[in-house]
Structures are given as C-alpha cells and as structure tokens.
C-alpha cells in the first residue's frame, strides 16, 4: 500500500501539515509534531482505524483516497524474486555491509 495523505490533503486545499494537525485536533485527534511529520512526509508504520476515520472526516475523503493498493509488490506463488524486484524497480540485492573500525581499517576476522 502507498500512503497518499499529502496529495489528498492538497486536493482539499490543505497545504501544510500544521493546518491538518489543527483540524485533526479540533475533531479530537491530537497528534504530536513528530508523528504528524511522519504522516505528512512518509509512510506510517502503524495507524489506528479510529485515526483513519478522523482523517477521512477532516479531509472529506474515502479510505481509498489515502491508501493506494500496489499489487505488483506482492509475491505470487512460483514467481521468481528477480521478476518481483524488477517490477518494484530494484536493481538487485543490496551490497554486503562490511564492518569497519572508526579509523577506517577493517576489523579482524572472527
């Protein structure tokens, strides 16, 4: 799922996170500045269904305006992981992380 709060708010004439934060508080949903920043500029890790109700009321929107399905990211039985990574836009596995000392030298093998 892709979180679409910022565009949905803009479509309703709300251009700043602080504006939305005030409107949410007026409807009983008090959100800290840090959490509001995460909702506004990122994808929330978790969100209460009751909070989604308040957001939808304040923005006059449906849940489908806030959450956009991304079925191409779902692994299907028999699907090769390379095909899934290509569909998601990934260029391959992440490089291995090599621990180093603060002075830049490699750590001795364990």
């Amino acid at each position: 799922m892709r979180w679409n709060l910022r565009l949905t708010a803009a479509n309703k004439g709300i251009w700043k996170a602080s504006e939305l934060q005030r409107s949410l508080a007026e409807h009983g949903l008090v959100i800290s500045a840090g959490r509001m920043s995460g909702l506004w500029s990122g994808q929330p890790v978790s969100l209460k269904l009751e909070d989604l109700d308040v957001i939808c009321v304040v923005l006059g929107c449906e849940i489908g305006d806030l959450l956009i399905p991304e079925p191409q990211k779902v692994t299907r039985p028999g699907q090769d992981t390379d095909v899934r990574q290509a569909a998601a836009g990934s260029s391959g596995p992440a490089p291995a992380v090599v621990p180093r000392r603060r002075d830049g030298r490699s750590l001795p093998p364990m």
Side-chain angles (χ1 to χ4, degrees):
M1 288 285 179
R2 182 169 44 94
W3 182 239
N4 197 35
L5 176 66
R6 201 169 185 166
L7 181 60
T8 303
N11 287 334
K12 303 299 179 182
I14 297 175
W15 300 99
K16 295 181 179 181
S18 58
E19 291 177 58
L20 180 58
Q21 186 179 17
R22 277 191 297 276
S23 294
L24 292 172
E26 290 170 2
H27 286 80
L29 179 57
V30 178
I31 298 179
S32 70
R35 184 163 176 237
M36 189 67 219
S37 176
L39 289 175
W40 188 256
S41 60
Q43 181 140 341
V45 175
S46 67
L47 194 58
K48 293 180 183 177
L49 295 177
E50 295 84 15
D51 295 353
L52 281 173
D53 280 335
V54 176
I55 292 169
C56 286
V57 167
V58 167
L59 295 178
C61 68
E62 299 292 325
I63 195 68
D65 298 324
L66 295 173
L67 296 171
I68 308 298
E70 295 181 306
Q72 71 277 9
K73 291 186 175 181
V74 176
T75 303
R76 292 174 174 80
Q79 182 181 19
D80 188 10
T81 57
D82 291 338
V83 172
R84 190 179 78 242
Q85 287 175 347
S90 177
S91 61
V97 175
V98 179
R100 298 202 178 272
R101 297 172 25 152
R102 289 185 182 198
D103 60 10
R105 295 185 298 168
S106 297
L107 291 172
M110 291 186 186

